Amino acid sequence: MARRDIRSLDVGMLRTFDALMRERSVSRAATRLFLSQPAVSASLNRLRETFDDPLFTRTAHGVQPTARATALAGQVERVLADLSAMLEPDDRFQPEHSQRIFRISGGDYASHLLLPRLANELVACGSRVRLYWETSSFLTLTERLRKGDFDVAVLPRLQPPSDCESALLYEDRYVVAVRRGHPTLGEAASLDDFCAAPHVFLGYGSSALDDLIDQVLARQGRQRSMSVAMTSFGQIVDLLAQTDHVAVMPLRVAARFDALLAVHPLPFELQGYRSVVCWNRRSNFDAGVLWLKDALLRIGREADTVPMPVPTSA
């Protein structure tokens, strides 16, 4: 095969290749790159011409890399990492001079706490940095960090994670949350009423919190009535406000909806939890990710000065 001129390849094409390798879908790659699908398709066509290979073939669920694309993937990732590092002067990330895309994963409360302030700061300094926030399953987050799907994740953890780097964002405790004027838990939450009420919980899959609560209750010969699983705290609060359901949730989250919810201490002992900012260990050499991590920690700690309401005593 004739040797090809390096001028037939540009950074945008390499970024398209990398996004397609990660997403296995033209539409999701376009979302990842903040581009239109036609733009990604056009870049893919140029890649095919340059490498004289289809690179990605269509399937019923997206695209599948060819053997040639699979062989190229590691090289492309290293080239992009080296280019990113080269563009950071003196190993310092300067958001006002960057057009980087950062991908963050976290729940809806973390988004409420961190994202508006971060977005405003970027606008204020004239940055062209773009942020992509996704609510993803906590069960797969550390693996997706390893794969590079996210730069940073904000996770609630009963114990600090051991499979990635992390730093404490804040500590919190769990409370019983019900609608104001609840007929049986309006003033306090007895163990009998807690177990009898229908429960709604955050259903990302298997939950360490719910497993722990059920174990605590089982040791006392008790069992909850698990009724509804939902994927965000906003949904849970909306349901609580219109029903007689009950939820165990962090005090900080419940405090955000103080006009709708009454909160009480749990009718049993349960350890508190930590919200941590996590990143993959390889990102310790990425000035941009380290800047993002530090910015999220700073914003979260500044917000930590807001006083929390005191739950009604049981």
Side-chain angles (χ1 to χ4, degrees), residues 191 194-195 199 210-225 267-268:
L191 186 58
F194 176 85
C195 292
H199 281 245
D210 289 304
D211 289 345
L212 182 59
I213 292 173
D214 290 339
Q215 291 168 14
V216 170
L217 292 175
R219 287 196 291 268
Q220 302 182 52
R222 302 297 188 111
Q223 186 176 2
R224 290 188 293 171
S225 172
F268 47 83

Side-chain angles (χ1 to χ4, degrees), residues 65-78:
T66 65
R68 175 72 165 138
T70 302
L72 287 169
Q75 293 174 281
V76 171
E77 184 176 0
R78 288 192 295 273

Side-chain angles (χ1 to χ4, degrees), residues 97-206:
H97 299 142
S98 178
Q99 300 185 45
R100 186 163 173 177
I101 300 171
F102 286 114
R103 293 171 180 81
I104 311 169
S105 182
D108 55 337
Y109 177 72
S111 172
H112 160 78
L113 180 71
L114 303 170
L115 193 53
R117 172 78 176 271
L118 179 60
N120 281 335
E121 289 184 0
L122 289 171
V123 170
C125 74
S127 175
R128 297 182 66 184
V129 163
R130 287 169 286 180
L131 303 173
Y132 175 81
W133 187 290
E134 178 183 324
T135 300
S136 182
S137 170
F138 295 149
L139 297 175
T140 61
L141 265 180
T142 53
E143 172 62 15
R144 296 189 69 186
L145 279 171
R146 186 192 65 78
K147 291 169 56 181
D149 291 344
F150 300 113
D151 297 297
V152 168
V154 183
L155 296 175
R157 284 295 176 94
L158 296 171
Q159 298 294 334
S162 59
D163 46 1
C164 61
E165 300 279 11
S166 66
L168 177 66
L169 185 64
Y170 61 79
E171 294 181 294
D172 201 359
R173 65 186 188 275
Y174 291 105
V175 295
V176 179
V178 297
R179 67 176 176 87
R180 291 194 173 276
H182 192 283
T184 57
L185 291 95
E187 299 299 327
S190 70
L191 186 58
D192 288 340
D193 290 337
F194 176 85
C195 292
H199 281 245
V200 55
F201 63 100
L202 199 63
Y204 286 107
S206 177

Side-chain angles (χ1 to χ4, degrees), residues 76-106:
V76 171
E77 184 176 0
R78 288 192 295 273
V79 168
L80 289 174
D82 288 344
L83 287 172
S84 179
M86 185 177 66
L87 293 172
E88 302 301 338
D90 303 322
D91 295 325
R92 291 179 294 109
F93 179 77
Q94 298 177 315
E96 62 271 24
H97 299 142
S98 178
Q99 300 185 45
R100 186 163 173 177
I101 300 171
F102 286 114
R103 293 171 180 81
I104 311 169
S105 182

Side-chain angles (χ1 to χ4, degrees), residues 177-182 234 237-242 254-263:
V178 297
R179 67 176 176 87
R180 291 194 173 276
H182 192 283
V237 172
D238 187 58
L239 183 129
L240 290 179
Q242 301 178 65
R256 180 187 171 197
F257 301 96
D258 185 58
L260 297 173
L261 301 180
V263 296

Side-chain angles (χ1 to χ4, degrees), residues 272-290:
Y273 86 99
R274 297 178 170 192
S275 180
V276 294
V277 175
C278 303
W279 63 100
N280 190 272
R281 291 186 176 94
R282 70 170 179 275
S283 296
N284 285 327
F285 304 97
D286 186 325
V289 171
L290 295 180

